[in-house]
Amino acid sequence: MSERKTIDARGSFCPGPLMELIAALKLVQIGDEIEILSTDKGTVNDVPEWVAKVGHEMGEITEKGDHWSVVVKKAK
Amino acid sequence: MATRILIVGGGLAGTIIANGLCRQVGDEISKGNISITMLGTSETHMYQPGLLYVPFGKIREKELFRPQRKVLDKKIIFHVDPAKNIDVDSQKVTTESGKVYEYDYLVIATGSRIMPQNIPGMVEGAHWLYDLDGARKMRDALEAFEGGKIVVNVNAPHKCPVAPVEITFMLHDYLSKKGLMDKTEITYTYPIGRVHALEPVAEWAKPAMDQHGIKYETFFNTKEVDPKAKTISSEEGVTLNYDFLVTIPPHNGAEIITNSGLGDGGWVPTNKTKLLREGSENVFVCGDTTNIPISKAGSTAHFEADTIIDNLTSLITEKRWARDYDGKVFCFVETGMNSGTYVWFDYNTPPNPGAPSQMIHWFKLAYNRLYWLSARGLL
Ligand SMILES: Cc1cc2nc3c(=O)[nH]c(=O)nc-3n(C[C@H](O)[C@H](O)[C@H](O)COP(=O)(O)OP(=O)(O)OC[C@H]3O[C@@H](n4cnc5c(N)ncnc54)[C@H](O)[C@@H]3O)c2cc1C
C-alpha cells in the first residue's frame, strides 16, 4: 500500500523545502507520496524542475492561502 | 519524591541543557527536590566544528576534546551507558548495560550521524572530515596529494549547512599555498539548483567560486561512487571523474531513535515551537535529532536548549509554560583561511549575511574556543 507523508517546511529557510523533500524521499518506498508545505513561492518552480531532472512524478500543486502544497511521488 | 529529569545524549544540546538547568534550579537539586541524570556514550566530549581544521593541520587533536565530567556541573549524575531503548509510554529508558531509568521529564538529544554506507562505493571511494577517523585519513591523503581532479560532494540531509562551502574554499587556500592549484581542478556538487541552501550564501558563494576557478554541479544527488573507475554519479544522470573525492555524507539520526520506534531515519517528530515530541507532554527533543526543517547546527541546538531550559524550569517550579522557540539559527561562515562572514534567520526572518571580513574570521576562531563556555552554560 502506498502512503503519503506530509513535510511541513513552512518558514524553512535552510535547508529549505526542496532539501527537506530530497531527504524525505530517501526514507520512503517507491510509489509513496510526499506532500511538502512551503511558504516559499520558489518551491512551486524548484520542485518540478528537480523532479523532472531526477525522474520522480509530480502530483498536485495547490495554493492554500499563505502557503503552497506540492505533492511528489517516488518513482525510482 | 524528586522530579527526575533524564537526558539522553551528552553532546552539545544535552550538555547545555543539563548545565543550564543546574544554574536555574541548582538549589532544588541540592535539596533533593530535582535530579538530573545524563546518559552518554563516552567519557570525552568532542568539539565537532574543530574537525573542519584537522585535514588542513590547523588544529591539534588534543584541542578537540575535554573530559565530559569536567564540562558538566557536578550536580549532574552522568553515566557512560548508552540508551538502548526509549519507552515513552511507560516513561522508561533501558541502557546497554541493562539498567532501567524512569523519568518525569525526558530530553532526547542524541544528535545525528554520517551514513556514507548508504551510498554504494562511498565508504571505499571517498574522504570525509565529519568524524575524527575520517578527518585524519583526509589529512594524510591531502598531504600526499600532488594535484588532479577534486570533487567536493554534498549530500542531504547533513549537519552544519555551511561546512561544505567552507571546506571548498579552505581546500582552495590550502592547495594554493602548496602551489598545487595550477595542477588542480575543484568541482563542488550540491543537491539543489543553487550552490547553497541559504540564498544569500549561494549569492555570495557562486561568484566567489567563479573567481577562484571552482566549478560547480548543482542538482547533484549522489547515486553511487565507483572507487575503481574513480567516478561519482548522480541520480540526475551526471558522472564526474575524480582523483580525490571529499564528501559530506548523508546523515541519519541515532540508531536508538529508529530502534525505539520514535522516528524514521532517526528524526523525532517534534513540535517546532514547543520542542516537545509530537504526542508527548514530558518529552523534549533538542538539536540535530528533531525533524524540524531547520539547519542542523550547533547554534540551533544552543537556541533550542535555552528555550527548553526555561520551559523545564517553569514547568517544574511554577507549573507554567515559559516561552516558544522562534526558529533562530546563527552561523559563522569561513570564506577562506583568513576571512569569514555570518548569517542568521528564524521562522519569520529570512537570512541576510554581512560582508566577509577578516574580523569575522577571528570571531569564529574565538567562538571555537568559547564553545566550552557555552556548553558549560556560561554563554
Ligand atoms: C565538521 C563539523 C563542523 C561543524 N561546524 C559547525 C559550526 O561551525 N557551527 C555550528 O553551529 N555547528 C557546526 N557543526 C554542527 C554541530 O556540531 C552539531 O549540529 C551539534 O553538535 C548538534 O548538537 P547535538 O547535541 O544535537 O548533537 P551532538 O553534539 O552530536 O550530540 C549527540 C550525542 O548523543 C550521543 N548519543 C547518540 N546515541 C546515544 C545513545 N543511544 N545513548 C546515549 N547517547 C547517545 C552521541 O554520542 C553524542 O555525544 C559542525 C559539525 C561538524 C561535524
Side-chain angles (χ1 to χ4, degrees):
Chain A
M1 256 276 289
S2 60
E3 288 182 24
R4 177 183 286 198
K5 205 175 154 194
T6 299
I7 308 286
D8 185 353
R10 287 177 290 181
S12 171
F13 294 109
C14 179
L18 178 54
M19 204 81 121
E20 291 293 340
L21 171 70
I22 291 170
L25 280 165
K26 291 183 181 174
L27 297 173
V28 300
Q29 306 296 318
I30 291 173
D32 287 351
E33 290 179 339
I34 306 271
E35 177 192 31
I36 190 115
L37 306 181
S38 172
T39 37
D40 176 5
K41 191 170 188 319
T43 304
V44 175
N45 302 320
D46 291 355
V47 171
E49 187 185 354
W50 176 69
V51 165
K53 268 185 203 291
V54 79
H56 293 306
E57 275 171 37
M58 272 312 293
E60 277 188 351
I61 300 181
T62 326
E63 190 169 349
K64 294 191 165 176
D66 63 349
H67 68 277
W68 285 264
S69 149
V70 177
V71 177
V72 174
K73 188 173 186 177
K74 180 163 170 155
K76 57 184 243 195
Chain B
M1 208 173 84
T3 302
R4 297 157 302 179
I5 302 172
L6 181 62
I7 301 175
V8 181
L12 185 58
T15 302
I16 296 179
I17 292 178
N19 285 334
L21 283 170
C22 286
R23 288 164 70 81
Q24 296 289 336
V25 295
D27 288 352
E28 296 298 315
I29 300 173
S30 302
K31 283 188 215 152
N33 294 333
I34 297 175
S35 71
I36 302 178
T37 304
M38 174 182 279
L39 302 175
T41 52
S42 162
E43 287 287 352
T44 46
H45 188 121
M46 184 174 69
Y47 171 57
Q48 296 179 41
L51 289 172
L52 196 60
Y53 305 93
V54 171
F56 307 103
K58 291 264 169 195
I59 197 166
R60 269 183 293 278
E61 284 183 18
K62 217 177 122 224
E63 291 180 60
L64 298 171
F65 295 101
R66 293 270 200 286
Q68 175 69 351
R69 286 175 206 275
K70 288 215 164 136
V71 181
L72 289 177
D73 190 295
K74 290 203 170 50
K75 295 188 216 39
I76 298 154
I77 305 158
F78 175 58
H79 300 290
V80 179
D81 189 6
K84 202 176 167 196
N85 184 265
I86 299 175
D87 182 343
V88 291
D89 295 325
S90 60
Q91 302 190 189
K92 279 183 191 145
V93 173
T94 311
T95 63
E96 301 259 334
S97 76
K99 291 211 175 70
V100 177
Y101 292 86
E102 297 185 1
Y103 61 79
D104 298 299
Y105 289 98
L106 176 69
V107 176
I108 301 177
T110 42
S112 59
R113 60 198 168 119
I114 53 169
M115 302 295 288
Q117 62 272 36
N118 283 1
I119 293 183
M122 187 171 268
V123 172
E124 301 80 16
H127 285 285
W128 57 82
L129 52 72
Y130 267 54
D131 62 19
L132 184 58
D133 193 42
R136 281 179 182 151
K137 285 185 185 149
M138 184 171 155
R139 178 180 58 205
D140 296 345
L142 257 188
E143 249 169 43
F145 181 72
E146 290 174 341
K149 283 186 162 52
I150 298 184
V151 173
V152 182
N153 160 251
V154 188
N155 296 279
H158 70 86
K159 64 182 152 191
C160 194
V162 293
V165 269
E166 293 183 316
I167 293 163
T168 307
F169 286 108
M170 286 166 85
L171 261 174
H172 186 279
D173 263 20
Y174 173 91
L175 295 169
S176 302
K177 290 211 176 82
K178 283 183 89 174
L180 287 173
M181 254 337 276
D182 49 352
K183 285 194 276 176
T184 302
E185 179 187 279
I186 301 179
T187 306
Y188 168 94
T189 79
Y190 204 68
I192 62 170
R194 54 178 185 259
V195 298
H196 198 270
L198 280 164
E199 273 192 67
V201 174
E203 275 163 27
W204 154 80
K206 190 168 180 267
M209 285 181 182
D210 289 336
Q211 195 194 340
H212 287 77
I214 296 167
K215 296 185 168 174
Y216 35 85
E217 188 68 45
T218 54
F219 283 131
F220 190 102
N221 287 282
T222 316
K223 185 176 179 198
E224 60 193 0
V225 175
D226 183 338
K228 286 216 178 78
K230 294 205 161 196
T231 57
I232 177 165
S233 311
S234 74
E235 295 284 356
E236 292 81 0
V238 174
T239 297
L240 300 171
N241 296 313
Y242 70 83
D243 297 303
F244 195 104
L245 176 61
V246 184
T247 188
I248 315 299
H251 286 47
N252 275 355
E255 211 172 354
I256 186 182
I257 303 300
T258 357
N259 289 351
S260 306
L262 291 177
D264 291 346
W267 314 119
V268 185
T270 305
N271 182 292
K272 69 187 210 178
T273 53
K274 306 281 176 222
L275 303 175
L276 284 166
R277 173 187 170 265
E278 297 285 2
S280 294
E281 291 293 321
N282 63 343
V283 179
F284 286 91
V285 193
C286 192
D288 289 355
T289 194
T290 77
N291 77 335
I292 303 174
I294 53 174
S295 315
K296 298 195 182 302
S299 71
T300 312
H302 195 153
F303 291 124
E304 288 177 350
D306 283 347
T307 315
I308 292 174
I309 293 163
D310 278 353
N311 286 324
L312 265 173
T313 303
S314 292
L315 283 170
I316 294 171
T317 60
E318 299 174 1
K319 299 207 170 6
R320 70 176 178 91
W321 190 254
R323 65 183 171 102
D324 286 350
Y325 173 59
D326 61 2
K328 180 106 175 241
V329 180
F330 176 98
C331 292
F332 282 112
V333 191
E334 291 277 38
T335 53
M337 287 292 190
N338 285 308
S339 96
T341 184
Y342 67 92
V343 57
W344 75 269
F345 50 96
D346 61 29
Y347 292 141
N348 297 308
T349 319
N352 209 344
S357 76
Q358 195 175 33
M359 188 69 186
I360 297 169
H361 167 72
W362 294 117
F363 267 132
K364 170 145 183 169
L365 290 188
Y367 179 79
N368 285 340
R369 308 203 185 264
L370 292 177
Y371 174 91
W372 300 107
L373 290 180
S374 84
R376 281 161 60 195
L378 299 175
L379 269 187

